[in-house]
Each structure stands twice: as structure tokens, then as C-alpha cells.
Amino acid sequence: MMITETAATVWWSEGAPSRLVWAGRRWRVSDTPTRLTVTRAELPTAITHAPERTVGWRFQATADDGDTLVVDIVPEGRGWGVARTWT
């Protein structure tokens, strides 16, 4: 795993990331993105379906040359940043 914390430009389709430009390269989302969520810690544990908040997305991204990696994107300022990658 590599921690990168660098800005990315993200395009969306039907509420999920579909492609991005990051580290000077264009990437397309090549699997089904997964929401990264958290549940507020102060909620009672008896709540069986506690509301969750999206704090990022994880997906596989493929570049034009075929390079593939798994990416976590998180909100960064008014946009998105790549927080972690796995090759």
C-alpha cells in the first residue's frame, strides 16, 4: 500500500466515480466502486440500521496503457484526493 494524498479530478456517472485524472495520467474505473462509510460513534449500539456517511470511495482504476491499481479517493477541500493506492 502506498499513501499518496494527492489531488485528483474525478468524473461521476450515476452517483459513483467513473474516471479520474491523477498523477498526470487518465484512469477509468474498471470495476464497481465501493463506498467507504462511517457510522457516528455516539449513536446507541441498539440501532440496527444506523445511518452511514460516505467518507470516500474504493475502486480499481486502469490507465490507457493497461496499468491497473486499486485507489481510495477521499474529499479534499472542494474536490477529491487519492489517499491510498495498491498495485
Coordinates of all heavy atoms in Angstrom, one line a residue:
M1 N 0.8 -1.2 0.0 CA 0.0 0.0 0.0 C 0.9 1.2 0.0 O 1.9 1.3 0.7 CB -0.9 0.0 1.2 CG -1.7 1.3 1.4 SD -2.8 1.4 2.8 CE -1.6 1.5 4.1
M2 N 0.5 2.2 -0.8 CA 1.2 3.5 -0.8 C 0.2 4.6 -0.4 O -0.9 4.6 -0.9 CB 1.7 3.8 -2.3 CG 2.4 5.1 -2.4 SD 2.7 5.6 -4.1 CE 3.6 4.2 -4.7
I3 N 0.6 5.5 0.5 CA -0.2 6.6 0.9 C 0.3 7.8 0.0 O 1.5 8.1 0.0 CB -0.1 6.9 2.4 CG1 -0.6 5.7 3.1 CG2 -0.9 8.1 2.7 CD1 -0.4 5.7 4.6
T4 N -0.6 8.4 -0.7 CA -0.2 9.4 -1.6 C -0.7 10.8 -1.3 O 0.0 11.8 -1.4 CB -0.7 9.1 -3.0 OG1 -2.2 9.0 -3.0 CG2 -0.1 7.8 -3.5
E5 N -2.0 10.9 -0.9 CA -2.6 12.2 -0.6 C -2.3 13.3 -1.6 O -1.8 14.3 -1.3 CB -2.1 12.7 0.8 CG -2.5 11.8 1.9 CD -2.1 12.3 3.3 OE1 -1.9 13.5 3.4 OE2 -2.0 11.5 4.2
T6 N -2.7 13.0 -2.8 CA -2.6 14.0 -3.9 C -3.9 14.2 -4.6 O -4.8 13.4 -4.6 CB -1.5 13.5 -5.0 OG1 -2.0 12.2 -5.5 CG2 -0.2 13.3 -4.4
A7 N -4.0 15.4 -5.1 CA -5.3 15.9 -5.7 C -5.6 15.1 -7.0 O -4.7 14.7 -7.7 CB -5.2 17.3 -6.0
A8 N -6.9 14.8 -7.2 CA -7.3 14.1 -8.4 C -8.6 14.9 -8.9 O -9.4 15.4 -8.2 CB -7.7 12.7 -8.1
T9 N -8.8 14.8 -10.2 CA -10.0 15.3 -10.9 C -10.9 14.0 -11.1 O -10.4 13.1 -11.8 CB -9.7 16.0 -12.2 OG1 -8.9 17.1 -11.8 CG2 -11.0 16.6 -12.8
V10 N -12.1 14.0 -10.6 CA -12.9 12.9 -10.7 C -14.2 13.2 -11.5 O -14.8 14.2 -11.3 CB -13.3 12.4 -9.3 CG1 -14.2 11.1 -9.4 CG2 -12.1 12.1 -8.5
W11 N -14.6 12.3 -12.4 CA -15.8 12.3 -13.2 C -16.7 11.3 -12.6 O -16.3 10.2 -12.2 CB -15.6 12.1 -14.7 CG -15.0 13.2 -15.4 CD1 -15.7 14.1 -16.2 CD2 -13.6 13.6 -15.5 NE1 -14.8 15.0 -16.7 CE2 -13.5 14.7 -16.3 CE3 -12.5 13.1 -14.9 CZ2 -12.3 15.3 -16.6 CZ3 -11.3 13.7 -15.2 CH2 -11.2 14.8 -16.0
W12 N -18.0 11.6 -12.6 CA -19.1 10.8 -11.9 C -20.1 10.3 -12.9 O -20.4 11.1 -13.9 CB -19.7 11.6 -10.8 CG -18.7 12.0 -9.8 CD1 -17.9 13.1 -9.8 CD2 -18.4 11.3 -8.6 NE1 -17.1 13.2 -8.7 CE2 -17.4 12.1 -7.9 CE3 -18.9 10.2 -8.0 CZ2 -16.8 11.7 -6.7 CZ3 -18.3 9.8 -6.8 CH2 -17.3 10.5 -6.2
S13 N -20.6 9.2 -12.7 CA -21.7 8.6 -13.5 C -22.7 7.9 -12.6 O -22.2 7.0 -11.8 CB -21.2 7.7 -14.6 OG -22.2 7.1 -15.3
E14 N -23.9 8.3 -12.6 CA -24.9 7.7 -11.7 C -24.5 7.7 -10.2 O -24.7 6.7 -9.5 CB -25.3 6.3 -12.2 CG -25.9 6.4 -13.6 CD -26.2 5.0 -14.2 OE1 -26.4 4.1 -13.4 OE2 -26.4 4.9 -15.4
G15 N -23.9 8.8 -9.8 CA -23.6 8.9 -8.4 C -22.3 8.2 -7.9 O -22.0 8.1 -6.7
A16 N -21.5 7.6 -8.8 CA -20.3 6.9 -8.5 C -19.2 7.4 -9.4 O -19.4 7.8 -10.5 CB -20.5 5.4 -8.6
P17 N -17.9 7.3 -8.9 CA -16.8 7.7 -9.8 C -16.7 6.8 -11.0 O -16.9 5.6 -10.9 CB -15.6 7.5 -8.9 CG -16.0 6.8 -7.7 CD -17.5 6.8 -7.6
S18 N -16.4 7.4 -12.2 CA -16.3 6.6 -13.4 C -14.9 6.8 -14.1 O -14.5 5.9 -14.8 CB -17.4 7.0 -14.4 OG -17.3 8.4 -14.7
R19 N -14.3 7.9 -13.8 CA -12.9 8.1 -14.3 C -12.2 9.2 -13.5 O -12.9 10.0 -12.8 CB -12.9 8.4 -15.8 CG -13.6 9.5 -16.3 CD -13.7 9.6 -17.8 NE -14.6 10.6 -18.2 CZ -14.2 11.8 -18.7 NH1 -13.0 12.0 -19.0 NH2 -15.1 12.7 -19.1
L20 N -10.9 9.3 -13.6 CA -10.2 10.3 -12.9 C -8.9 10.6 -13.7 O -8.4 9.8 -14.4 CB -9.9 9.9 -11.5 CG -8.9 8.9 -11.2 CD1 -8.3 9.1 -9.8 CD2 -9.6 7.5 -11.1
V21 N -8.4 11.8 -13.4 CA -7.0 12.2 -13.8 C -6.3 12.4 -12.5 O -6.7 13.1 -11.6 CB -7.0 13.5 -14.6 CG1 -5.6 14.0 -14.9 CG2 -7.8 13.3 -15.9
W22 N -5.2 11.7 -12.4 CA -4.3 11.7 -11.2 C -2.9 11.4 -11.6 O -2.6 10.6 -12.4 CB -4.9 10.7 -10.2 CG -3.9 10.4 -9.1 CD1 -3.6 11.3 -8.0 CD2 -3.2 9.2 -8.8 NE1 -2.7 10.7 -7.2 CE2 -2.5 9.4 -7.7 CE3 -3.1 8.0 -9.5 CZ2 -1.6 8.4 -7.2 CZ3 -2.3 7.1 -9.0 CH2 -1.6 7.3 -7.8
A23 N -2.0 12.1 -11.0 CA -0.5 11.9 -11.2 C -0.2 12.1 -12.7 O 0.6 11.3 -13.2 CB -0.1 10.6 -10.6
G24 N -0.9 13.0 -13.4 CA -0.6 13.2 -14.8 C -1.1 12.2 -15.7 O -0.7 12.2 -16.9
R25 N -2.0 11.3 -15.2 CA -2.5 10.2 -16.1 C -4.0 10.1 -16.0 O -4.6 10.5 -15.0 CB -1.9 8.8 -15.7 CG -0.4 8.8 -15.8 CD 0.2 7.5 -15.3 NE -0.1 6.4 -16.2 CZ 0.2 5.2 -16.0 NH1 0.8 4.8 -14.8 NH2 0.0 4.2 -16.9
R26 N -4.6 9.6 -17.1 CA -6.0 9.4 -17.1 C -6.3 7.9 -16.8 O -5.6 7.0 -17.2 CB -6.6 9.7 -18.5 CG -6.5 11.1 -18.9 CD -7.2 11.4 -20.2 NE -6.4 10.7 -21.2 CZ -6.7 10.8 -22.5 NH1 -7.7 11.5 -22.9 NH2 -5.9 10.2 -23.4
W27 N -7.3 7.7 -15.9 CA -7.6 6.4 -15.4 C -9.1 6.3 -15.6 O -9.9 7.2 -15.4 CB -7.3 6.3 -13.9 CG -5.9 6.5 -13.6 CD1 -5.2 7.7 -13.4 CD2 -4.9 5.5 -13.5 NE1 -3.9 7.5 -13.1 CE2 -3.6 6.1 -13.2 CE3 -4.9 4.1 -13.6 CZ2 -2.5 5.4 -12.9 CZ3 -3.7 3.4 -13.4 CH2 -2.5 4.1 -13.1
R28 N -9.6 5.0 -15.9 CA -11.0 4.7 -15.9 C -11.3 3.7 -14.8 O -10.5 2.9 -14.5 CB -11.5 4.2 -17.3 CG -10.9 2.9 -17.6 CD -11.4 2.4 -19.0 NE -10.6 1.3 -19.4 CZ -10.7 0.0 -19.0 NH1 -11.6 -0.3 -18.1 NH2 -9.9 -0.9 -19.4
V29 N -12.5 3.9 -14.2 CA -12.9 2.9 -13.2 C -13.2 1.6 -13.9 O -14.1 1.6 -14.7 CB -14.1 3.5 -12.4 CG1 -14.6 2.5 -11.3 CG2 -13.6 4.8 -11.7
S30 N -12.5 0.5 -13.5 CA -12.7 -0.7 -14.2 C -13.3 -1.8 -13.4 O -13.2 -3.0 -13.7 CB -11.3 -1.2 -14.8 OG -10.3 -1.2 -13.8
D31 N -14.0 -1.4 -12.3 CA -14.9 -2.4 -11.6 C -16.0 -1.6 -10.9 O -16.1 -0.4 -11.2 CB -14.0 -3.2 -10.5 CG -13.6 -2.3 -9.3 OD1 -13.8 -1.1 -9.4 OD2 -13.2 -2.9 -8.3
T32 N -16.7 -2.2 -10.0 CA -17.8 -1.5 -9.3 C -17.2 -0.8 -8.1 O -16.7 -1.4 -7.2 CB -18.9 -2.5 -8.9 OG1 -19.4 -3.1 -10.1 CG2 -20.0 -1.7 -8.2
P33 N -17.3 0.6 -8.1 CA -16.8 1.3 -6.9 C -17.6 0.9 -5.6 O -18.8 0.7 -5.6 CB -17.1 2.8 -7.3 CG -17.3 2.8 -8.7 CD -17.9 1.5 -9.1
T34 N -16.8 1.0 -4.5 CA -17.4 0.7 -3.2 C -17.3 1.9 -2.3 O -16.2 2.6 -2.2 CB -16.6 -0.4 -2.5 OG1 -16.6 -1.6 -3.3 CG2 -17.1 -0.7 -1.1
R35 N -18.4 2.3 -1.7 CA -18.4 3.5 -0.8 C -17.7 3.1 0.4 O -17.8 2.0 1.0 CB -19.9 3.8 -0.4 CG -20.7 4.5 -1.5 CD -22.1 4.9 -1.0 NE -22.6 4.1 0.0 CZ -23.1 4.6 1.2 NH1 -23.1 5.9 1.4 NH2 -23.7 3.9 2.1
L36 N -16.8 4.0 0.9 CA -16.2 3.9 2.2 C -17.0 4.7 3.2 O -17.2 5.9 3.0 CB -14.8 4.4 2.1 CG -13.9 3.8 1.1 CD1 -12.5 4.4 1.1 CD2 -13.7 2.3 1.4
T37 N -17.6 4.1 4.2 CA -18.5 4.8 5.1 C -18.1 4.7 6.6 O -17.2 3.9 6.9 CB -19.9 4.1 5.0 OG1 -19.8 2.8 5.4 CG2 -20.5 4.2 3.6
V38 N -18.7 5.6 7.4 CA -18.5 5.5 8.8 C -19.9 5.7 9.4 O -20.8 6.4 8.9 CB -17.5 6.6 9.3 CG1 -16.1 6.4 8.8 CG2 -18.0 8.0 9.0
T39 N -20.0 5.2 10.6 CA -21.2 5.4 11.4 C -20.8 6.2 12.6 O -19.8 5.9 13.2 CB -21.8 4.0 11.9 OG1 -22.1 3.3 10.7 CG2 -23.1 4.3 12.7
R40 N -21.6 7.2 13.0 CA -21.3 8.1 14.1 C -21.1 7.2 15.4 O -22.0 6.4 15.7 CB -22.3 9.1 14.3 CG -22.3 10.1 13.2 CD -23.4 11.2 13.3 NE -23.9 11.4 14.6 CZ -25.2 11.9 14.8 NH1 -25.9 12.2 13.8 NH2 -25.6 12.0 16.0
A41 N -20.0 7.4 16.1 CA -19.7 6.6 17.3 C -20.6 6.9 18.4 O -20.9 6.0 19.2 CB -18.3 6.9 17.7
E42 N -21.3 8.1 18.5 CA -22.1 8.4 19.6 C -23.5 7.8 19.5 O -24.3 7.9 20.4 CB -22.2 9.9 19.8 CG -22.8 10.7 18.7 CD -21.9 11.1 17.6 OE1 -20.8 10.7 17.6 OE2 -22.4 11.8 16.7
L43 N -23.8 7.1 18.4 CA -25.2 6.5 18.3 C -25.3 5.3 19.2 O -24.3 4.5 19.3 CB -25.4 6.1 16.8 CG -25.6 7.3 15.8 CD1 -25.7 6.7 14.4 CD2 -26.8 8.1 16.2
P44 N -26.4 5.0 19.7 CA -26.6 3.8 20.6 C -26.4 2.5 19.8 O -26.7 2.5 18.6 CB -28.1 3.9 21.0 CG -28.5 5.3 20.8 CD -27.6 5.8 19.7
T45 N -25.7 1.6 20.4 CA -25.4 0.3 19.7 C -26.7 -0.5 19.4 O -26.7 -1.4 18.5 CB -24.5 -0.5 20.5 OG1 -25.1 -0.8 21.8 CG2 -23.1 0.1 20.6
A46 N -27.8 -0.2 20.0 CA -29.1 -0.9 19.7 C -29.7 -0.5 18.4 O -30.6 -1.2 17.9 CB -30.1 -0.6 20.8
I47 N -29.2 0.5 17.7 CA -29.7 0.9 16.4 C -29.2 -0.1 15.4 O -28.0 -0.3 15.2 CB -29.3 2.3 16.0 CG1 -29.9 3.3 17.0 CG2 -29.7 2.6 14.6 CD1 -29.5 4.8 16.7
T48 N -30.2 -0.8 14.8 CA -29.7 -1.9 13.9 C -29.4 -1.4 12.5 O -28.6 -2.1 11.8 CB -30.9 -3.0 13.8 OG1 -32.0 -2.3 13.3 CG2 -31.1 -3.6 15.1
H49 N -29.9 -0.3 12.0 CA -29.6 0.2 10.7 C -29.2 1.7 10.9 O -29.9 2.6 10.4 CB -30.7 0.1 9.8 CG -31.0 -1.4 9.4 ND1 -31.8 -2.1 10.2 CD2 -30.6 -2.1 8.4 CE1 -31.9 -3.4 9.7 NE2 -31.2 -3.4 8.6
A50 N -28.1 1.9 11.6 CA -27.6 3.3 11.8 C -27.3 4.0 10.5 O -26.8 3.3 9.6 CB -26.4 3.2 12.7
P51 N -27.5 5.3 10.4 CA -27.2 6.0 9.2 C -25.7 6.0 9.0 O -24.9 6.1 10.0 CB -27.7 7.4 9.4 CG -27.9 7.5 10.9 CD -28.1 6.1 11.4
E52 N -25.2 5.9 7.8 CA -23.8 5.9 7.5 C -23.5 7.2 6.6 O -24.4 7.7 5.9 CB -23.4 4.7 6.7 CG -23.5 3.4 7.5 CD -23.1 2.2 6.7 OE1 -23.3 2.2 5.4 OE2 -22.6 1.3 7.3
R53 N -22.3 7.6 6.7 CA -21.8 8.8 6.0 C -20.7 8.3 5.0 O -19.8 7.6 5.5 CB -21.3 9.9 6.9 CG -20.9 11.1 6.3 CD -20.6 12.2 7.3 NE -19.6 11.8 8.2 CZ -18.3 12.1 8.2 NH1 -17.8 12.9 7.2 NH2 -17.4 11.7 9.1
T54 N -20.8 8.7 3.8 CA -19.8 8.3 2.8 C -18.5 9.2 3.1 O -18.6 10.4 3.1 CB -20.2 8.5 1.4 OG1 -21.4 7.7 1.1 CG2 -19.1 8.2 0.4
V55 N -17.4 8.6 3.3 CA -16.1 9.3 3.5 C -15.1 9.1 2.4 O -14.0 9.6 2.5 CB -15.5 8.9 4.9 CG1 -16.4 9.4 6.0 CG2 -15.2 7.5 5.0
G56 N -15.5 8.4 1.4 CA -14.6 8.1 0.3 C -15.1 7.0 -0.6 O -16.2 6.4 -0.4
W57 N -14.3 6.6 -1.6 CA -14.6 5.5 -2.5 C -13.4 4.7 -2.7 O -12.3 5.2 -2.8 CB -15.1 6.1 -3.8 CG -16.5 6.8 -3.8 CD1 -16.7 8.0 -3.4 CD2 -17.7 6.2 -4.1 NE1 -18.0 8.3 -3.4 CE2 -18.7 7.2 -3.9 CE3 -18.1 4.9 -4.5 CZ2 -20.0 6.9 -4.1 CZ3 -19.5 4.7 -4.7 CH2 -20.4 5.7 -4.5
R58 N -13.6 3.4 -3.0 CA -12.5 2.5 -3.3 C -12.9 1.8 -4.6 O -14.0 1.3 -4.8 CB -12.3 1.4 -2.3 CG -11.1 0.4 -2.6 CD -10.8 -0.5 -1.5 NE -10.2 0.3 -0.4 CZ -10.1 0.0 0.8 NH1 -10.7 -1.1 1.3 NH2 -9.5 0.8 1.7
F59 N -12.0 1.7 -5.6 CA -12.2 1.1 -6.9 C -10.9 0.7 -7.5 O -9.9 1.2 -7.2 CB -13.1 2.0 -7.8 CG -12.5 3.4 -7.9 CD1 -11.6 3.7 -8.9 CD2 -13.0 4.4 -7.1 CE1 -11.1 5.0 -9.0 CE2 -12.5 5.7 -7.2 CZ -11.5 6.0 -8.2
Q60 N -11.1 -0.1 -8.5 CA -9.9 -0.5 -9.4 C -9.9 0.5 -10.5 O -10.9 0.8 -11.1 CB -10.1 -1.9 -10.0 CG -9.0 -2.3 -10.9 CD -9.2 -3.7 -11.4 OE1 -9.1 -4.6 -10.6 NE2 -9.5 -3.8 -12.7
A61 N -8.7 1.1 -10.8 CA -8.6 2.0 -11.9 C -7.6 1.5 -12.9 O -6.6 0.9 -12.6 CB -8.1 3.4 -11.4
T62 N -7.9 1.7 -14.2 CA -7.0 1.2 -15.3 C -6.6 2.4 -16.2 O -7.5 3.1 -16.6 CB -7.7 0.1 -16.1 OG1 -8.1 -1.0 -15.2 CG2 -6.8 -0.5 -17.2
A63 N -5.3 2.5 -16.5 CA -4.8 3.6 -17.3 C -4.9 3.1 -18.8 O -5.1 1.9 -19.1 CB -3.4 3.9 -17.0
D64 N -4.7 4.1 -19.7 CA -4.8 3.8 -21.1 C -3.8 2.7 -21.6 O -4.0 1.9 -22.5 CB -4.6 5.0 -22.0 CG -5.7 6.0 -21.8 OD1 -6.8 5.6 -21.4 OD2 -5.5 7.2 -22.1
D65 N -2.6 2.6 -20.9 CA -1.6 1.7 -21.2 C -1.8 0.3 -20.6 O -1.0 -0.6 -20.7 CB -0.2 2.2 -20.9 CG 0.0 2.4 -19.4 OD1 -0.9 2.1 -18.6 OD2 1.1 3.0 -19.1
G66 N -2.9 0.1 -19.8 CA -3.2 -1.1 -19.1 C -2.8 -1.2 -17.7 O -3.1 -2.2 -17.0
D67 N -2.0 -0.3 -17.2 CA -1.6 -0.3 -15.8 C -2.9 -0.3 -14.9 O -3.8 0.5 -15.2 CB -0.8 0.9 -15.4 CG 0.7 0.8 -15.8 OD1 1.1 -0.3 -16.2 OD2 1.4 1.8 -15.6
T68 N -2.9 -1.1 -13.9 CA -4.1 -1.2 -13.0 C -3.7 -1.1 -11.6 O -2.7 -1.6 -11.2 CB -4.8 -2.5 -13.3 OG1 -5.2 -2.6 -14.6 CG2 -6.1 -2.7 -12.4
L69 N -4.5 -0.4 -10.8 CA -4.3 -0.3 -9.4 C -5.6 -0.1 -8.7 O -6.6 0.2 -9.3 CB -3.3 0.8 -9.0 CG -3.5 2.2 -9.7 CD1 -4.5 3.0 -8.9 CD2 -2.2 2.9 -9.7
V70 N -5.6 -0.3 -7.4 CA -6.8 0.0 -6.5 C -6.6 1.3 -5.9 O -5.5 1.6 -5.4 CB -7.0 -1.1 -5.5 CG1 -8.1 -0.8 -4.5 CG2 -7.3 -2.5 -6.2
V71 N -7.6 2.1 -5.9 CA -7.5 3.5 -5.4 C -8.5 3.8 -4.3 O -9.7 3.4 -4.5 CB -7.7 4.5 -6.6 CG1 -7.7 5.9 -6.2 CG2 -6.7 4.2 -7.7
D72 N -8.1 4.5 -3.3 CA -9.1 5.1 -2.3 C -9.1 6.6 -2.6 O -8.0 7.2 -2.6 CB -8.6 4.9 -0.9 CG -9.0 3.6 -0.4 OD1 -9.5 2.7 -1.1 OD2 -8.7 3.3 0.8
I73 N -10.2 7.2 -2.9 CA -10.3 8.6 -3.0 C -11.2 9.2 -1.8 O -12.1 8.5 -1.4 CB -10.9 9.1 -4.3 CG1 -12.4 8.6 -4.5 CG2 -10.0 8.7 -5.5 CD1 -13.1 9.2 -5.8
V74 N -10.8 10.3 -1.3 CA -11.4 11.0 -0.2 C -11.6 12.5 -0.5 O -10.9 13.0 -1.3 CB -10.6 10.8 1.1 CG1 -10.5 9.3 1.5 CG2 -9.2 11.4 1.0
P75 N -12.6 13.1 0.1 CA -12.8 14.5 -0.1 C -11.6 15.3 0.4 O -11.0 15.0 1.4 CB -14.0 14.9 0.8 CG -14.7 13.6 1.1 CD -13.7 12.5 1.0
E76 N -11.2 16.3 -0.4 CA -10.0 17.1 -0.2 C -10.4 18.5 -0.6 O -10.4 18.8 -1.7 CB -8.8 16.5 -0.9 CG -7.5 17.2 -0.6 CD -6.4 16.6 -1.4 OE1 -5.9 15.6 -0.9 OE2 -6.0 17.1 -2.5
G77 N -10.6 19.4 0.4 CA -11.0 20.7 0.1 C -12.3 20.7 -0.6 O -13.3 20.1 -0.1
R78 N -12.4 21.3 -1.8 CA -13.6 21.3 -2.6 C -13.6 20.2 -3.6 O -14.5 20.2 -4.5 CB -13.8 22.7 -3.2 CG -13.9 23.8 -2.1 CD -14.1 25.1 -2.8 NE -15.5 25.3 -3.1 CZ -16.0 26.3 -3.7 NH1 -15.2 27.2 -4.2 NH2 -17.3 26.4 -4.0
G79 N -12.6 19.4 -3.6 CA -12.5 18.3 -4.6 C -12.3 17.0 -4.0 O -12.7 16.6 -2.9
W80 N -11.4 16.2 -4.7 CA -11.1 14.8 -4.2 C -9.6 14.6 -4.3 O -8.9 15.2 -5.1 CB -11.8 13.8 -5.1 CG -13.3 13.8 -4.9 CD1 -14.2 14.6 -5.6 CD2 -14.0 13.0 -4.0 NE1 -15.4 14.3 -5.1 CE2 -15.4 13.4 -4.1 CE3 -13.6 12.0 -3.1 CZ2 -16.3 12.8 -3.4 CZ3 -14.7 11.5 -2.3 CH2 -16.0 11.8 -2.5
G81 N -9.1 13.7 -3.4 CA -7.7 13.4 -3.4 C -7.5 11.9 -3.3 O -8.4 11.2 -2.8
V82 N -6.4 11.4 -3.9 CA -6.1 10.0 -3.8 C -5.4 9.8 -2.5 O -4.3 10.3 -2.3 CB -5.3 9.5 -5.0 CG1 -4.8 8.1 -4.8 CG2 -6.0 9.7 -6.3
A83 N -6.0 9.0 -1.6 CA -5.4 8.8 -0.2 C -4.5 7.6 -0.2 O -3.5 7.6 0.5 CB -6.5 8.6 0.8
R84 N -4.9 6.5 -0.9 CA -4.1 5.3 -0.9 C -4.2 4.6 -2.3 O -5.2 4.7 -2.9 CB -4.6 4.3 0.1 CG -4.4 4.8 1.5 CD -5.1 3.8 2.5 NE -5.2 4.4 3.8 CZ -6.2 5.2 4.2 NH1 -7.2 5.4 3.4 NH2 -6.2 5.7 5.4
T85 N -3.1 3.9 -2.6 CA -3.2 3.0 -3.8 C -2.5 1.7 -3.5 O -1.7 1.6 -2.6 CB -2.4 3.7 -5.0 OG1 -1.1 3.8 -4.7 CG2 -3.0 5.0 -5.4
W86 N -3.0 0.7 -4.2 CA -2.4 -0.7 -4.1 C -2.2 -1.1 -5.6 O -3.1 -1.0 -6.4 CB -3.4 -1.7 -3.5 CG -3.6 -1.4 -2.0 CD1 -3.0 -1.9 -1.0 CD2 -4.7 -0.5 -1.5 NE1 -3.6 -1.5 0.2 CE2 -4.6 -0.6 -0.1 CE3 -5.6 0.3 -2.1 CZ2 -5.4 0.1 0.7 CZ3 -6.5 1.0 -1.2 CH2 -6.4 0.9 0.1
T87 N -1.0 -1.7 -5.8 CA -0.8 -2.2 -7.2 C -0.9 -3.7 -7.2 O -1.0 -4.4 -6.2 CB 0.7 -1.9 -7.6 OG1 1.6 -2.4 -6.7 CG2 0.8 -0.4 -7.8

